[in-house]
Amino acid sequence: MPSTRRSGAVPELGEDCGFTGTTPVAADRVTIGDRVLVGGNASIVDFDFHPQTPEGRAEAINAGAAAPIVIADDVFDGYARHEGGHW
């Protein structure tokens, strides 16, 4: 079940995908292609949960950086934590 972190975030799931306890979480965009398989209890998250500096956290605790994730068609991912980029 995909979830969103910010208003306007876009989780896109392709056809014929298989997930085992996987959680895609989008603050910007998470795009998962067709026939993608993701193994046990993986997290696919396109953002830092909070700023990395103490000053940034004091200013806005939920303002972590975000970068879109694209997982292409026919990918098998046994287990991983993805942070922005293309696979």
Side-chain angles (χ1 to χ4, degrees), residues 33-86:
D34 296 335
R35 299 168 305 280
V36 171
L37 300 175
V38 180
N41 302 315
S43 296
I44 302 169
V45 180
D46 71 349
F47 65 97
D48 294 336
F49 285 87
H50 51 72
Q52 295 191 12
T53 66
E55 298 80 18
R57 290 190 300 275
E59 185 175 317
I61 189 69
N62 291 318
I69 290 178
V70 176
I71 300 176
D73 294 344
D74 301 305
V75 168
F76 171 77
D77 191 345
Y79 178 83
R81 179 171 178 242
H82 296 300
E83 297 179 3
H86 292 80

